[in-house]
């Protein structure tokens, strides 16, 4: 990641450098600058799925669910991943589209994430969707990976 004054002294040229800059802005809670940088990232690298995921994350944080869903769909178009699909399901749930959120988690029920946090997040969402058996299954996976 870029550190210190690197944000003001260098212009990122690769998609990874731009994504790092977005991450720095998020760490500093500068969501407007993070979103502006992310827009540059997705404009310059439109096939970069992680850039679209970051855009969706930021738009969701601002409560702009329709735009967040459009961005995460672009990410999923370029690279399907359980993490992106979980994010989409959370966007749908927070946008109050419960039926679509429930449908979006179906392919995730048997997922095995490498980290406890993702299992916790999926377990929480499944619990909110009243899918208690699968919620418990993911909570157990989170605990097995050292989470709580």
């Amino acid at each position: 990641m870029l550190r210190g004054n690197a944000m003001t002294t260098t212009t990122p040229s690769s998609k990874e450098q731009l994504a790092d800059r977005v991450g720095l802005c998020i760490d500093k809670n500068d969501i407007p600058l993070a979103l502006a940088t992310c827009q540059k990232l997705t404009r310059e690298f439109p096939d970069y799925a992680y850039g679209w995921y970051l855009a969706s994350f930021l738009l969701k944080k601002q409560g702009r669910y329709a735009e967040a869903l459009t961005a995460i769909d672009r990410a999923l178009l370029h690279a399907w991943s359980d993490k992106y699909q979980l994010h989409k399901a959370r966007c749908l749930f927070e946008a109050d589209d419960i039926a679509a959120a429930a449908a979006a988690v179906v392919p995730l029920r048997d997922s095995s994430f490498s980290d406890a946090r993702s299992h916790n997040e999926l377990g929480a969402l499944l619990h909110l969707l009243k899918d208690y058996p699968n919620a418990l299954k993911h909570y157990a996976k989170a605990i097995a990976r050292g989470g709580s």
Side-chain angles (χ1 to χ4, degrees):
M1 278 185 96
L2 300 171
R3 298 284 179 223
N5 289 332
M7 279 186 65
T8 57
T9 59
T10 61
T11 302
S13 58
S14 73
K15 60 188 176 187
E16 292 83 6
Q17 289 172 325
L18 279 167
D20 283 349
R21 181 165 289 181
V22 171
L24 271 178
C25 293
I26 292 169
D27 290 347
K28 293 180 179 184
N29 206 29
D30 190 344
I31 303 307
L33 183 57
L35 192 52
T37 306
C38 206
Q39 288 169 336
K40 177 180 170 124
L41 174 62
T42 56
R43 187 175 50 252
E44 291 183 13
F45 302 96
D47 296 336
Y48 186 42
Y50 184 62
W52 289 107
Y53 166 76
L54 288 171
S56 182
F57 172 83
L58 292 163
L59 291 162
K60 181 174 90 67
K61 200 165 181 66
Q62 292 185 325
R64 296 163 58 184
Y65 300 113
E67 293 168 275
L69 285 163
T70 298
I72 199 61
D73 282 339
R74 289 283 300 266
L76 286 162
L77 177 69
H78 296 294
W80 199 94
S81 82
D82 290 347
K83 178 180 178 178
Y84 297 168
Q85 186 67 23
L86 175 55
H87 178 77
K88 179 178 182 171
R90 290 182 55 165
C91 285
L92 289 163
F93 185 84
E94 290 180 31
D96 235 5
D97 193 342
I98 306 308
V105 297
V106 168
L108 299 174
R109 286 185 182 146
D110 294 322
S111 293
S112 187
F113 298 99
S114 61
D115 62 299
R117 181 179 180 179
S118 294
H119 282 293
N120 268 334
E121 288 180 13
L122 180 54
L125 181 56
L126 288 164
H127 183 268
L128 291 169
L129 293 169
K130 299 180 180 12
D131 184 351
Y132 303 119
N134 283 305
L136 287 172
K137 181 172 76 173
H138 284 281
Y139 287 140
K141 287 182 179 183
I143 292 167
R145 284 166 178 72
S148 55

